[in-house]
């Protein structure tokens, strides 16, 4: 089992714990289902993208990758390089979604 599979399993297990907590806290099946779908979309947004493509500067995201640009190392190809614009985009999108989710969960 590779590292991505282990990360996915751990993420889904943590999501299940959050769903159970939300169910116990709110007593609402609808809020549990919304939490499930937002959690799965969040996991897919972090684990599913082609990081080889996104591990370049933001200006290069729409350009096709050349074979020379690819790294064929097994474990280092999934590492997350720090690009401030990408981190800002992720922070804004995920922050907004978490804010809207929290407003939904905390509403009566």
């Amino acid at each position: 089992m590779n590292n991505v599979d282990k990360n996915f399993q751990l993420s889904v297990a943590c999501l299940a714990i959050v769903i159970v907590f939300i169910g116990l806290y709110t007593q609402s099946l609808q809020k549990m289902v919304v939490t499930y779908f937002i959690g799965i979309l969040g996991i897919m947004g972090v684990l599913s993208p082609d990081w080889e493509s996104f591990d370049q500067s933001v200006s290069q995201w729409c350009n096709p990758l050349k074979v020379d640009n690819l790294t064929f190392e097994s474990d280092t190809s999934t590492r997350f390089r720090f690009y401030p614009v990408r981190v800002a985009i992720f922070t804004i999108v995920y922050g907004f979604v978490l804010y809207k989710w929290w407003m939904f969960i905390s509403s009566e």
Side-chain angles (χ1 to χ4, degrees):
M1 185 179 311
N2 62 20
N3 201 18
V4 175
D5 290 337
K6 289 179 185 176
N7 289 339
F8 180 73
Q9 287 179 349
L10 179 64
S11 299
V12 172
C14 291
L15 177 61
I17 293 169
V18 169
I19 291 170
V20 168
F21 176 74
I22 293 299
L24 293 173
Y25 177 72
T26 64
Q27 301 289 315
S28 170
L29 182 62
Q30 179 185 13
K31 291 180 181 181
M32 290 174 64
V33 170
V34 168
T35 301
Y36 169 78
F37 282 114
I38 289 176
I40 289 296
L41 289 174
I43 291 168
M44 287 174 21
V46 171
L47 296 180
S48 294
D50 180 15
W51 288 118
E52 289 295 336
S53 176
F54 290 113
D55 274 346
Q56 335 179 49
S57 66
V58 175
S59 64
Q60 299 295 319
W61 283 1
C62 296
N63 298 336
L65 282 177
K66 297 178 181 141
V67 175
D68 298 341
N69 296 346
L70 295 174
T71 57
F72 292 105
E73 302 165 12
S74 61
D75 289 331
T76 59
S77 63
T78 59
R79 70 179 181 200
F80 186 84
R81 294 188 190 122
F82 181 77
Y83 289 107
V85 175
R86 178 177 60 188
V87 171
I89 291 169
F90 269 46
T91 303
I92 290 167
V93 170
Y94 279 86
F96 179 75
V97 170
L98 284 173
Y99 170 76
K100 292 304 240 177
W101 171 78
W102 182 252
M103 290 294 112
F104 177 73
I105 293 300
S106 61
S107 67
E108 291 290 324

